[in-house]
């Protein structure tokens, strides 16, 4: 995990070994869930999507992809809570690329960095939108 003046938080040397280990495990959780490529993400682009309870365990479970806020909410939830098999089922490459400049500001730092490091085209979309 990289730290910079724009990213508030403890510097790596300020972290206790236990906290550093927890952060590494948290990051590893998201790394293990990544698809091999964005092309694997062939989820729906329209209609109603119902997430299983292991993904949407708190809050909304049904999303209308025709509604921008619900679409973003679905993607945020799946990126944070979805398992490896859930990502291709519920996410769509084209929608993810289209929404990434906004979505990246709504997901946690670890999720954002794991996805942008694995898929440079996401980071490129964010830079292009800035």
């Amino acid at each position: 995990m990289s730290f910079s003046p724009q990213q508030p938080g403890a510097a790596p040397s300020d972290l206790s070994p236990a906290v550093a280990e927890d952060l590494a495990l948290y990051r590893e959780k998201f790394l293990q869930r990544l698809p091999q490529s964005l092309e694997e993400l062939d989820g729906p682009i329209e209609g109603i999507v119902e997430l299983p309870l292991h993904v949407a365990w708190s809050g909304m479970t049904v999303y209308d992809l025709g509604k921008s806020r619900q679409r973003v909410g679905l993607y945020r939830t799946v990126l944070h809570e979805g398992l490896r098999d859930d990502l291709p089922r519920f996410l769509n490459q084209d929608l993810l690329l289209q929404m990434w400049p906004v979505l990246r500001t709504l997901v946690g730092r670890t999720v954002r960095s794991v996805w942008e490091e694995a898929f440079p085209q996401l980071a490129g979309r964010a830079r292009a939108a800035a």
Side-chain angles (χ1 to χ4, degrees):
M1 177 181 303
S2 65
F3 291 86
S4 70
Q6 294 80 23
Q7 295 176 323
S13 62
D14 293 342
L15 297 177
S16 72
V19 169
E21 182 179 350
D22 286 349
L23 288 172
L25 289 171
Y26 187 64
R27 181 177 175 78
E28 185 62 29
K29 172 179 87 166
F30 293 109
L31 283 169
Q32 290 179 1
R33 295 175 181 183
L34 287 174
Q36 293 295 316
S37 72
L38 291 181
E39 289 78 27
E40 289 180 32
L41 304 179
D42 61 355
I45 58 171
E46 59 184 21
I48 304 296
V49 175
E50 185 170 356
L51 294 177
L53 288 177
H54 73 270
V55 178
W57 50 269
S58 173
M60 290 180 60
T61 58
V62 178
Y63 296 83
D64 182 347
L65 292 176
K67 296 181 178 179
S68 177
R69 291 183 82 160
Q70 288 189 30
R71 187 171 54 245
V72 169
L74 169 84
Y75 274 61
R76 182 175 184 257
T77 300
V78 173
L79 288 169
H80 277 274
E81 305 297 337
L83 302 177
R84 186 174 186 88
D85 291 342
D86 296 317
L87 300 177
R89 180 176 170 198
F90 296 112
L91 302 180
N92 179 277
Q93 174 187 354
D94 294 334
L95 287 179
L96 180 66
L97 287 166
Q98 174 190 348
M99 292 189 305
W100 190 253
V102 171
L103 190 58
R104 72 181 303 276
T105 68
L106 302 173
V107 296
R109 182 183 306 160
T110 302
V111 171
R112 179 176 55 247
S113 66
V114 163
W115 278 80
E116 288 185 348
E117 289 167 15
F119 307 110
Q121 60 269 50
L122 291 174
R125 298 275 306 178
R127 283 190 299 274

